[in-house]
Amino acid sequence: VIGYSVEPKTLADVDKMSLAITKLVEEDPTLRVVTNEETGQTILKGMGELHLEIIIDRLKREFKVEINQGAPQVAYKETLTTPVEHKEVYKKQTGGRGKFADIVFELSPQEDESKVGLEFNNAIVGGVIPKEFIPSVQKGFEAAMSNGPLAGYPVEAMKVRLFHGSFHDVDSDALSFELAARIGFKEAAPKANPVLMEPIMSVEVTAPDEFTGSVTGDLNRRRGIMKGMEVKGNTQAIKADVPLAELLGYVTDLRTITSGRASATLTFSHYDKVPKNLAENIIEKIKSGSTK
């Protein structure tokens, strides 16, 4: 749900960092490592700030790797909300054999929240697209999902129904159909009313009674939705669902509010839609190249 960009400080640390991260990923199934294709950055992704701070501390202490780390980045996702039909014709003529693929498909959201990835329905009849090209269409859509239509965040789940199209005896090949699917997704997805999704954390704060108002007021300011309070002796256990984007550095702020007398646990709960005005700001920042 959260990521830090990390880079080795010196050339000598390049191989050491790679080996160390490989070992840490083997040990910890909740740790992910991805390379941003556009920036070349290595991004460590984990279940929260504390999780990643421990990982980075281990890199430095156990593996003696000197690294620079970037600001935390929230792992947003994108999802489609309405079905859309689209026809995509990929055609290239470069002298000699050309490229040709024609697909007609329906792109739609995945209603079953337990399913991730692409649910692909091949509804082609009469061989209008030969069977050997169908897997390439599926592959093209699967690849396209890693780059959503709003701000390039991944689309975690969607459905595609391929129901018509055509091919050329000479110019059609597997790559043409894969590219048609990729381009088709890029053209159709913005029309499927995509929305930005953000990770929501389940927060439990244990604080002395006199700080209850300060803690709940602060959580409300962070777009928190209160889930209840429970008395535990002279303390209150305050529970809320809060967007991760509002919780970066929260434990430090909580210490300040409560003079160091409160503790908090943050665990991932679910993904939810980002409010429209905030989503527009996030998308604008991404498109302008700012990550703040």
Side-chain angles (χ1 to χ4, degrees), residues 179-198:
L179 290 171
R182 283 177 177 247
I183 297 163
F185 172 82
K186 202 171 178 181
E187 294 295 322
K191 300 169 192 168
N193 292 324
V195 293
L196 204 59
M197 306 287 282
E198 64 182 345

Side-chain angles (χ1 to χ4, degrees), residues 97-118:
R97 188 177 170 184
K99 297 277 186 188
F100 181 85
D102 169 20
I103 56 173
V104 186
F105 61 91
E106 181 186 55
L107 200 60
S108 58
Q110 175 59 268
E111 296 91 359
D112 186 344
E113 290 182 8
S114 66
K115 289 188 176 179
V116 295
L118 174 67

Side-chain angles (χ1 to χ4, degrees), residues 50-61:
L50 182 61
H51 180 206
L52 288 182
E53 280 166 12
I54 290 166
I55 293 293
I56 286 165
D57 180 61
R58 288 187 65 193
L59 277 174
K60 293 174 181 175
R61 195 167 36 82

Side-chain angles (χ1 to χ4, degrees), residues 210-259:
E210 65 261 36
F211 296 111
T212 302
S214 302
V215 171
T216 54
D218 181 61
L219 289 171
N220 284 328
R221 278 193 295 277
R222 295 173 187 268
R223 296 194 282 130
I225 295 171
M226 303 309 296
K227 292 291 183 181
M229 285 191 263
E230 191 183 328
V231 179
K232 292 184 178 178
N234 294 327
T235 64
Q236 290 272 6
I238 301 157
K239 297 178 182 178
D241 281 351
V242 190
L244 177 61
E246 307 291 344
L247 288 170
L248 303 178
Y250 176 63
V251 174
T252 305
D253 293 343
L254 182 66
R255 286 195 198 109
T256 305
I257 294 168
T258 62
S259 305

Side-chain angles (χ1 to χ4, degrees), residues 10-194:
T10 67
L11 282 172
D13 289 310
V14 174
D15 289 339
K16 276 164 67 179
M17 186 179 92
S18 178
L19 290 168
I21 287 174
T22 302
K23 191 161 175 47
L24 289 168
V25 170
E26 282 174 5
E27 289 176 14
D28 184 349
T30 64
L31 183 66
R32 298 273 188 278
V33 182
V34 296
T35 301
N36 186 313
E37 290 179 11
E38 289 179 15
T39 64
Q41 283 180 316
T42 298
I43 312 287
L44 283 181
K45 291 186 174 183
M47 299 308 290
E49 278 186 289
L50 182 61
H51 180 206
L52 288 182
E53 280 166 12
I54 290 166
I55 293 293
I56 286 165
D57 180 61
R58 288 187 65 193
L59 277 174
K60 293 174 181 175
R61 195 167 36 82
E62 283 181 38
F63 298 97
K64 306 289 186 280
V65 180
E66 288 300 316
I67 59 168
N68 296 317
Q69 81 185 58
Q73 301 167 356
V74 174
Y76 293 101
K77 290 178 182 172
E78 299 182 23
T79 192
L80 312 176
T81 60
T82 55
V84 62
E85 287 189 6
H86 183 78
K87 176 184 172 76
E88 188 63 44
V89 179
Y90 176 70
K91 201 173 183 179
K92 258 193 175 175
Q93 206 65 47
T94 51
R97 188 177 170 184
K99 297 277 186 188
F100 181 85
D102 169 20
I103 56 173
V104 186
F105 61 91
E106 181 186 55
L107 200 60
S108 58
Q110 175 59 268
E111 296 91 359
D112 186 344
E113 290 182 8
S114 66
K115 289 188 176 179
V116 295
L118 174 67
E119 184 180 320
F120 185 77
N121 175 15
N122 174 20
I124 292 294
V125 290
V128 291
I129 297 175
K131 278 189 292 190
E132 63 265 29
F133 296 144
I134 304 297
S136 298
V137 176
Q138 182 171 349
K139 184 182 172 187
F141 281 115
E142 284 170 346
M145 288 174 72
S146 64
N147 195 359
L150 288 173
Y153 291 109
V155 174
E156 188 175 51
M158 70 177 190
K159 294 196 287 189
V160 168
R161 182 173 64 91
L162 178 68
F163 61 91
H164 200 53
S166 65
F167 73 104
H168 188 279
D169 285 336
V170 177
D171 292 350
S172 290
D173 59 12
L175 182 59
S176 296
F177 276 93
E178 183 183 333
L179 290 171
R182 283 177 177 247
I183 297 163
F185 172 82
K186 202 171 178 181
E187 294 295 322
K191 300 169 192 168
N193 292 324

